[in-house]
Amino acid sequence: MTPFTVAVEGLATDIHLPDGDGPFPAVLVRTPYDRTRHRAELRGWARRGFAALVQDVRGRHASPGEWRPYENETADGAATARWIRRQPWNDGRLVAAGASYAAHCALALALGAPADARPDAVIAAVPALGTAETAREPSGVERLLARAGWWAAHGDRPDSDDNALDKALAADPGLLARLPLTALPDRLGRSLPSWPGLWRHRERGRLLSGAECAGMPLLAVGGHHDHFAEDTVTLWRHWGGPSARLLLGPWGHGLVAEPGPDADPAHRVSLGELYVRWARRALAGDLAAGRRGVVGLGGSTLWIPADAEGEPRSQSVRLLHGSSFTADPQRPVSSEDLAVPTDGPPDRCLLVTPPLPRPLDVVGPVEVRMRATAHTPSADWAVRLVSLTPEGVARRLAVGIVRREEPPGRQAEFTVEMGRLARRLPAGTRLRLEIAGHHFPAHARNPHTGDDPVTATRLLPSRREVDAGSVALRLPVLLSRPTPAHPAEEIPR
């Protein structure tokens, strides 16, 4: 194995070549998170016959230039791909791979570069599709905590401080509650000139529109507990290449290294081995055409086919309290605490199902339909679904949030989409449904004045009424158990 470092178009690039005579197929990872963290990954690819490269993106770590997230990756990736194909150790074949922002780099290269620079296959794990997709929910509501954490750690700087926001919150627990949110850099004590501009990005779907015209195979990998799970599935569904594979497990953003509370040892997968097997078959043209994949069913030992989806069924709910409540942004419902206050005026509408008489396999998109009234011109409706075990343990299942603008006091009928579930719910489980006006600090608080939540400096309480009889919880229930699948068999097929 031969490791060395070069500057490719000025960008710092580590390369590991396999032992033996070449030329070899290549795998390229482009990352803002420090290429030196990928040395073990490079060695793994090289041991299996791939020339493996990892590159610091422009303006990060050892690469010179100005760091502008999501702006330069297509051009810089294309220049690197052309350089690779000119090398005597490359046989002309190239896999673009990466996780999170590095997945964005791989997709930008595959979908935006000229034909001579595009890779022959793409591995996109927990893909950050673009600025708007990461900054906002599909409904437009701002993802405050995740973006504040990322920008504090990585924004407008050549290196990273992964714990920057945690340290700032330890010193000032009310940091994210202070207004306006555009002044957050001042409170962090460092310059973040790109922070205000982040929130001006609202257009979603640029990469997805190109995905329909993709000409190479895709392996999309995600976790049910990841912010980008829905984007991962959507990418797989939109992919127009000759084959698309989906692997979705009961994991967080760190995938197998970050298992969720519903993960089983059966959901442990050697992703490195799987990536290599898939890449070999993708480059050889041996993958079956079409979309395939596997999904780990949390709370069980099963893997099931990715196209298995439950039948939407309404689950009966009864009101506990709070059909009338006040959404006060000065005292918002916490996104981090599942405890429900038992005293004082209600701050949310609370409903619950009867205990499940038998285990329930829920696979697919969850939604809540309702009629409700807000007495302010702008209102967010945050809906959280929580499972309650017979022992009383609460676990978050799903969250959805929408922003509505109606004349104050006018009842509206609407649907809140809550993402996808793949979970076995044991018999005896009750489901708690919380309807609130905020989900903070995961999401920015709606000030209820009609002002932009990012620039607002004034907060007003919002009186709410929920027509409890109209609330319909729609769960996708598997009516029969699908044929079990396994990643090692299905993904490289």
Side-chain angles (χ1 to χ4, degrees), residues 281-334:
R281 292 184 64 86
L283 294 178
D286 290 340
L287 293 173
R291 265 178 280 278
R292 293 174 179 267
V294 290
V295 174
L297 185 65
S300 79
T301 62
L302 288 180
W303 290 94
I304 61 176
D307 57 3
E309 195 158 289
E311 184 75 20
R313 295 292 177 95
S314 289
Q315 196 75 19
S316 63
V317 293
R318 66 178 179 87
L319 176 69
L320 289 182
H321 66 81
S323 60
S324 296
F325 68 93
T326 297
D328 187 349
Q330 299 281 13
R331 290 176 289 278
V333 170
S334 171

Side-chain angles (χ1 to χ4, degrees), residues 224 247-251 256 259-271 274 294-304 424 484-489:
H224 304 318
L247 175 62
L248 200 64
W251 313 312
V256 178
D262 56 331
D264 185 86
H267 297 130
R268 293 174 186 157
V269 177
S270 175
L271 291 180
L274 195 61
V294 290
V295 174
L297 185 65
S300 79
T301 62
L302 288 180
W303 290 94
I304 61 176
R424 172 167 293 169
H486 194 276
E489 299 170 358

